[in-house]
Amino acid sequence: MTTSSCSFKDRCVSVLCCKFCKQVLSSRGMKAVLLADTEIDLFSTDIPPTNAVDFIGRCYFTEICKCKLKDIACLKCGNIVGYHVIVPCSSCLLSCNNGHFWMFHSQAVYGINRLDSTGINFLLWGNLPEIEESTDEDVLDISAEECIR
């Protein structure tokens, strides 16, 4: 859920890779900061990263806000790479947010900026087509090569 006063369209789209095993986790990542603590750097995505992560452990609540979270782990290596905001709290929903509820820890993943169709410029969120993560196989194949490098 985005607010009209916030714009994320000029942010670069990143391929997110697991730092532990180099598995591609998402081709629709974005650098982000934690709304409840802007000193914490993260990556986020708007579409569930299918076939790359799964839930692990029990749901929990943050100390700073009342969001309900559940950790996610890389399916290839099993390491915890982030969390999913199962139920965002009203405070976070009213804040300037991009509607991304799949969060990745910067200590567990790294991002590689995607290029646009020209292969020259970085792909920006404002130019990203709204497609399902699972149908983005060509990008994931190319991205896997980038993660390994």
Side-chain angles (χ1 to χ4, degrees):
M1 184 173 191
T2 56
T3 61
S4 59
S5 63
C6 304
S7 178
F8 297 94
K9 67 181 181 179
D10 294 329
R11 296 270 188 96
C12 289
V13 179
S14 297
V15 175
L16 302 181
C17 304
C18 177
K19 280 188 178 179
F20 304 103
C21 70
K22 299 185 176 18
Q23 172 72 24
V24 175
L25 302 175
S26 176
S27 63
R28 295 174 61 95
M30 176 191 287
K31 285 187 180 181
V33 293
L34 188 62
L35 288 176
D37 184 352
T38 56
E39 298 296 314
I40 298 176
D41 290 325
L42 300 164
F43 289 95
S44 66
T45 189
D46 58 339
I47 294 181
T50 57
N51 302 319
V53 299
D54 202 358
F55 292 111
I56 188 167
R58 295 182 179 193
C59 291
Y60 58 95
F61 294 91
T62 65
E63 294 180 19
I64 299 171
C65 67
K66 299 298 181 198
C67 288
K68 184 177 181 180
L69 313 175
K70 189 160 187 170
D71 287 334
I72 54 175
C74 174
L75 285 177
K76 186 173 180 184
C77 67
N79 284 294
I80 293 175
V81 292
Y83 59 91
H84 176 51
V85 181
I86 303 286
V87 181
C89 71
S90 58
S91 174
C92 286
L93 279 176
L94 293 174
S95 298
C96 178
N97 73 79
N98 58 9
H100 289 200
F101 295 113
W102 296 87
M103 310 304 291
F104 296 88
H105 304 299
S106 57
Q107 305 93 330
V109 303
Y110 60 95
I112 301 166
N113 288 336
R114 280 178 58 182
L115 298 178
D116 65 10
S117 59
T118 67
I120 298 169
N121 302 309
F122 290 133
L123 179 61
L124 302 178
W125 271 91
N127 301 328
L128 184 65
E130 293 185 28
I131 59 171
E132 295 297 322
E133 181 87 17
S134 60
T135 63
D136 208 4
E137 292 176 15
D138 292 338
V139 172
L140 289 176
D141 290 342
I142 294 166
S143 303
E145 292 174 17
E146 289 295 322
C147 283
I148 293 169
R149 290 183 195 166

